[in-house]
Amino acid sequence: MHRHAAENIAQADALLFGRVTYEMMEAAWRGPARTGERPDWMEPWMEPFARTINAAKKYVVSSTLDRVDWNAELVRGDLGKAVQQLKELGLIDEYEFVVHPRLAGHGPTLFAGLSKHVDLKLVSRLEFGSGAVAMRYEPKR
């Protein structure tokens, strides 16, 4: 799954994070890039992901952070509105949903408030040993 994520990140122009995800990812993956040494918790197979996410351009939507670094730019405003606008303007080339074999029973609804349906075409499907399944879709045009 880390290899798949690294490949996706390497193909992206930039990553869009909210504050919580940015802080979580920075805490986990920035350190190894600064020191050049792998922390005790990091397995060798995780290193390509760490290098890739460190190099990626990042945008962070937050009204509480004063500044960001880690190759990131701070964006003020509402993440939900920004992403919804991208969806409605048709600016998303593809969607990837990774379904993990765990039922959480709570959390936000990802596409709540979408003003119109977006029909999707399945373009690939990948199963991981963990039981997770990554499905990539393109909007039907």
Side-chain angles (χ1 to χ4, degrees):
M1 184 157 247
H2 277 86
R3 182 174 46 248
H4 179 72
E7 291 168 0
N8 282 345
I9 291 169
Q11 293 176 19
D13 294 326
L15 306 177
L16 178 64
F17 290 134
R19 178 191 57 82
V20 172
T21 303
Y22 170 78
E23 289 176 337
M24 177 188 68
M25 297 300 273
E26 181 187 29
W29 301 106
R30 182 180 187 161
R34 274 194 276 191
T35 65
E37 294 185 24
R38 183 168 39 92
D40 293 340
W41 60 266
M42 185 184 285
E43 299 293 331
W45 53 266
M46 294 176 172
E47 289 182 44
F49 178 82
R51 283 192 302 273
T52 303
I53 197 164
N54 274 300
K57 173 69 179 164
K58 300 159 195 79
Y59 293 96
V60 183
V61 178
S62 174
S63 60
T64 57
L65 291 175
D66 293 324
R67 64 178 194 82
V68 293
D69 53 9
W70 193 44
N71 198 23
E73 182 178 321
L74 188 60
V75 177
R76 297 285 184 204
D78 182 320
L79 178 60
K81 287 181 183 176
V83 172
Q84 184 154 344
Q85 185 177 13
L86 290 174
K87 293 173 193 171
E88 290 176 2
L89 293 175
L91 298 178
I92 297 177
D93 296 325
E94 62 185 27
Y95 297 83
E96 183 173 82
F97 304 105
V98 180
V99 179
H100 294 268
R102 173 176 285 171
L103 299 176
H106 66 280
T109 303
L110 185 59
F111 297 102
L114 194 63
S115 65
K116 62 181 181 177
H117 290 91
V118 177
D119 293 318
L120 303 173
K121 177 180 85 172
L122 180 67
V123 294
S124 68
R125 181 179 185 277
L126 180 61
E127 291 184 35
F128 299 98
S130 66
V133 180
M135 296 163 289
R136 188 172 301 227
Y137 293 87
E138 292 177 351
K140 287 184 180 177
R141 308 234 186 245

